Amino acid sequence: TPGDTVGVALADDAVYLADSDNGLVGITFTETLTGTVVVSGTFDTTGTALDVAVAGGYAYVADGLNGLVIVNRSPLETMTQAGWFDTPGKAYALAVSGDLLYLADGSSGLRIFNVGNPVVPLQLSVYDTVGEAVDVAVRGSMVYLVEKDAGVHMLDVSDPVRPRRVLFYPTIGSARGVAADARYVLVGDEQGGLLVLSAPPSSYFLRLPLVMR
C-alpha cells in the first residue's frame, strides 16, 4: 500500500487497513476459475489513520489529530465519509461493541461514544489519564485502556456515562498494546515483554505476569 499499514480489521470477505497518511484501504479477494480477482478502494482521511474497526456497514477509523472518522464501506471502490468527531487529543486506537465505541485519544484519555447513528456520533463520557492513552480493548462490560509508559486501566463501563476504574496495573516497561478475553488481559509492554494478567471480575486478583523476551 502507498502508506504505512498500522492497523487491520476483517469483515465479511474484505480486509480494511489503517494506512497512516494514505487513509483507509479496503481490499477484497475473490477466487474464480481464472485466478484471484482483487478489488480495492481507498478513502483518504484528513488525518493519519492509526487504527480501524468494522461493525455493520461502517468502518471506524482512529485518525490521529483528526479524531474519529466513520466511513460508509460500501461500495468498496467509492467509500464515503458518514460521520466525524474532532477529538481534542490524538486518536490512536479504538474498539467497538454494539452501539458503543471506545477511543484511546492520547493525552485526552478515553472517550466513549454512542454510534447508533454513525452520521452523528454522540460522546457519552471521558475518562482522563495522566499520560497518553494509546490502545484500548473491550470485553463485555470491561474496558482495558493502555496508558503509555504507565500501565493498563481496567474500567467497568456497565454505565458508559460513568466509567469506573476497577484496577490499575503499572507495567514494568512502556505499555503499548492490549487484548483481552474472558480470562486474561494481554499487555504488550516494550521492555517488559508480554504481560499476562487475570481479567476481572473474578475477585480482581492478578496473576503474576508472564514475561516473554
Side-chain angles (χ1 to χ4, degrees):
T1 59
D4 296 324
T5 300
V6 292
V8 61
L10 296 173
D12 305 322
D13 60 346
V15 58
Y16 295 86
L17 308 176
D19 203 35
S20 58
D21 292 338
N22 188 46
L24 174 68
V25 176
I27 307 171
T28 61
F29 303 90
T30 305
E31 296 292 337
T32 69
L33 294 175
T34 57
T36 303
V37 177
V38 179
V39 177
S40 66
T42 299
F43 179 81
D44 189 4
T45 58
T46 303
T48 303
L50 299 177
D51 195 19
V52 59
V54 175
Y58 299 93
Y60 300 86
V61 180
D63 201 35
L65 295 175
N66 188 44
L68 169 66
V69 176
I70 303 174
V71 178
N72 188 332
R73 62 187 183 92
S74 181
L76 183 70
E77 299 93 320
T78 54
M79 294 184 288
T80 56
Q81 181 170 302
W84 171 63
F85 193 100
D86 186 12
T87 61
K90 183 177 182 178
Y92 278 101
L94 47 76
V96 179
S97 179
D99 286 342
L100 297 176
L101 182 145
Y102 306 90
L103 180 72
D105 197 36
S107 58
S108 292
L110 173 72
R111 295 181 177 271
I112 303 178
F113 295 88
N114 185 313
V115 290
N117 179 2
V119 176
V120 187
L122 175 64
Q123 181 173 288
L124 300 178
S125 60
V126 177
Y127 174 83
D128 287 324
T129 53
V130 175
E132 285 194 301
V134 294
D135 199 16
V136 62
V138 58
R139 175 77 184 190
S141 63
M142 294 297 299
V143 163
Y144 305 95
L145 179 70
V146 169
E147 182 180 340
K148 181 180 177 181
D149 298 332
V152 58
H153 299 257
M154 302 185 184
L155 308 174
D156 181 345
V157 292
S158 51
D159 180 359
V161 177
R162 298 175 181 84
R164 179 178 64 90
R165 188 171 83 176
V166 171
L167 194 113
F168 174 75
Y169 186 85
T171 57
I172 300 169
S174 302
R176 289 294 186 270
V178 64
D181 65 11
R183 297 181 61 194
Y184 300 110
V185 182
L186 309 178
V187 182
D189 193 43
E190 284 201 356
Q191 302 92 334
L194 172 66
L195 308 182
V196 183
L197 313 176
S198 290
S202 56
S203 302
Y204 306 123
F205 286 131
L206 293 174
R207 295 179 186 271
L208 290 176
L210 167 65
V211 180
M212 301 179 65
R213 293 188 176 91

